[in-house]
């Protein structure tokens, strides 16, 4: 009998159906699991499902039966991959489930900020329209996406999907090469040049030691066109204190973030300090969370487990 332990079921919406795997099994489901609870809860597991509950070396040390960690997300930074590989524990993830939801959320942020939709809505609620005594007023800047330049950092499945939408809007699309790279792949533009030329910059790369802080004080100083910065990737991609200073200095025209470095952010974090500004939109890591996308994720998660147990593993990271 296979023992499956789901560490954080509440990270998927309540309306999402997570079906039982079509193999003999016992499934133990926890709503949430704190970091200090992981080791005990996975001790007798054959398969562990986690989204955000961290599975680190100390927890893996006691999980002598563990064969598979099925991450119910694309990012795998919550798992100690080196330790898992050393112990012969397979790790798999979810792929290509968010190809609509994340790009659509990216453009929702982009459009709302470029057209000042939130401050115009709030001012209308507060009576500014009546005070203007004419059919419209011009209190906040409005700019088209058409004719502007979009810089994409991270040109995988999601970045490419964002690029296709941008082209439909009539934007020029620049796919950035790796920061500091000496050579470029076909279709790429040098990282620093993307920063200099873009009116909007959007991040779609995974969080790794190489990409942590990929946008910081140096990078903000290169942004000649005072772009919008959109981040629906991972919070750690951006130095948040540098972001706050860049907004204060007018180095960028605004920021749309769905992620923070540490979630939820603490009350006095840079992201919470800037969240109420008219040129900032902060959403609580929901770009991935359309009904359709979460159900696709849940279906793929169970299929990943079934295939692994049948000796046909897919989406392996280790």
């Amino acid at each position: 009998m296979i023992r499956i332990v789901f560490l954080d079921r509440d990270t998927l919406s309540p309306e999402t159906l997570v079906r039982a795997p079509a193999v003999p099994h016992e499934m133990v489901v926890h709503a949430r699991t704190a970091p200090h609870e992981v080791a005990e809860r996975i001790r007798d597991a054959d398969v562990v499902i986690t989204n955000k509950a961290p599975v680190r070396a100390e927890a893996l040390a006691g999980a002598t039966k563990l064969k598979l960690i099925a991450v119910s997300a694309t990012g795998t930074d919550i798992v100690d991959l080196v330790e898992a590989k050393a112990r012969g524990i397979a790790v798999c993830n979810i792929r290509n489930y968010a190809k609509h939801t994340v790009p659509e959320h990216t453009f929702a942020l982009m459009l709302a900020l470029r057209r000042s939709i939130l401050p115009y809505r709030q001012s209308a609620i507060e009576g500014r329209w009546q005070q203007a005594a004419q059919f419209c007023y011009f209190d906040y800047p409005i700019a088209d996406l058409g004719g502007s330049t979009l810089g994409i950092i991270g040109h995988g499945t999601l970045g490419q999907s964002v690029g296709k939408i941008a082209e439909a809007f009539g934007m020029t699309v620049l796919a950035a090469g790796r920061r500091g790279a000496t050579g470029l792949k076909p279709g790429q533009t040098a990282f620093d040049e993307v920063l200099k030329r873009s009116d909007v910059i959007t991040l779609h790369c995974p969080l790794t030691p190489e990409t942590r802080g990929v946008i910081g004080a140096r990078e903000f100083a290169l942004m000649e066109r005072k772009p919008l910065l959109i981040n629906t990737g991972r919070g750690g991609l951006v130095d948040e204190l540098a972001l706050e200073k860049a907004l204060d200095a007018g180095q960028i025209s605004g920021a749309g973030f769905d992620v923070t470095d540490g979630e939820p952010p603490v009350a006095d974090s840079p992201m919470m300090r800037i969240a109420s500004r008219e040129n900032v939109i902060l959403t609580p890591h929901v770009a991935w969370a359309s009904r359709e996308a979460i159900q696709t994720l849940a279906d793929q998660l169970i299929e990943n487990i079934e295939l692994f147990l049948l000796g046909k593993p897919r989406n392996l990271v280790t």
Side-chain angles (χ1 to χ4, degrees):
M1 181 72 68
I2 297 296
R3 182 178 176 85
I4 302 172
V5 177
F6 197 157
L7 292 176
D8 48 5
R9 171 61 178 83
D10 280 7
T11 60
L12 304 184
S13 67
E15 66 182 10
T16 303
L17 172 64
V18 182
R19 66 175 177 82
V23 294
H25 71 281
E26 172 195 11
M27 182 177 283
V28 179
V29 178
H30 301 282
R32 299 184 187 88
T33 297
H36 70 274
E37 297 174 317
V38 172
E40 180 60 32
R41 290 184 174 181
I42 73 172
R43 185 176 304 279
D44 297 320
D46 298 287
V47 176
V48 167
I49 302 171
T50 183
N51 188 329
K52 293 295 180 286
V55 183
R56 303 302 184 198
E58 57 272 20
L60 292 173
T64 57
K65 294 174 56 183
L66 188 58
K67 303 175 182 66
L68 174 68
I69 301 170
V71 180
S72 56
T74 299
T76 56
D77 47 289
I78 43 82
V79 178
D80 188 328
L81 298 178
V82 173
E83 185 69 16
K85 184 175 182 179
R87 293 181 177 276
I89 300 167
V91 179
C92 64
N93 67 347
I94 307 298
R95 302 181 188 179
N96 300 327
Y97 77 97
K99 61 183 179 181
H100 298 303
T101 185
V102 169
E104 288 179 15
H105 195 92
T106 296
F107 271 86
L109 294 172
M110 206 182 298
L111 286 163
L113 288 163
R114 288 280 282 189
R115 306 198 68 84
S116 296
I117 286 176
L118 294 187
Y120 271 117
R121 177 183 186 272
Q122 187 60 35
S123 68
I125 291 170
E126 294 172 354
R128 176 70 180 99
W129 205 349
Q130 288 75 25
Q131 295 168 9
Q134 63 174 23
F135 78 100
C136 72
Y137 52 99
F138 308 99
D139 290 5
Y140 306 99
I142 296 174
D144 294 336
L145 290 180
S148 64
T149 297
L150 175 66
I152 301 176
I153 299 175
H155 204 237
T157 299
L158 296 180
Q160 291 174 35
S161 181
V162 167
K164 290 178 181 178
I165 297 172
E167 289 171 353
F169 271 96
M171 302 178 79
T172 297
V173 176
L174 303 177
R178 292 180 181 271
R179 180 178 59 173
T182 55
L184 296 173
K185 296 178 181 178
Q188 290 185 337
T189 301
F191 183 85
D192 286 0
E193 185 178 348
V194 169
L195 299 182
K196 293 176 181 179
R197 291 174 53 189
S198 297
D199 301 292
V200 183
I201 296 170
T202 181
L203 304 175
H204 300 285
C205 44
L207 181 61
T208 66
E210 180 186 11
T211 62
R212 175 167 287 279
V214 70
I215 301 295
R218 171 192 172 276
E219 288 71 33
F220 285 119
L222 293 173
M223 297 179 185
E224 295 177 357
R225 298 185 63 82
K226 297 179 172 51
L228 287 180
L229 180 63
I230 309 294
N231 187 7
T232 56
R234 286 288 185 269
L237 298 173
V238 177
D239 180 330
E240 294 177 353
L241 185 57
L243 170 66
E244 183 180 26
K245 292 179 178 179
L247 285 164
D248 289 341
Q251 291 176 310
I252 59 174
S253 60
F257 274 55
D258 184 56
V259 288
T260 62
D261 194 4
E263 293 173 345
V266 297
D268 63 346
S269 67
M271 291 306 301
M272 293 308 299
R273 290 198 296 268
I274 67 174
S276 61
R277 299 188 187 193
E278 291 175 343
N279 61 343
V280 174
I281 300 176
L282 176 63
T283 54
H285 204 143
V286 291
W288 67 285
S290 70
R291 290 190 300 270
E292 297 87 350
I294 299 179
Q295 190 59 60
T296 298
L297 179 154
D299 293 343
Q300 188 180 142
L301 171 69
I302 299 304
E303 290 169 4
N304 284 347
I305 294 170
E306 290 171 336
L307 288 168
F308 178 84
L309 295 175
L310 291 170
K312 302 175 182 178
R314 73 174 184 190
N315 294 2
L316 291 181
V317 180
T318 66

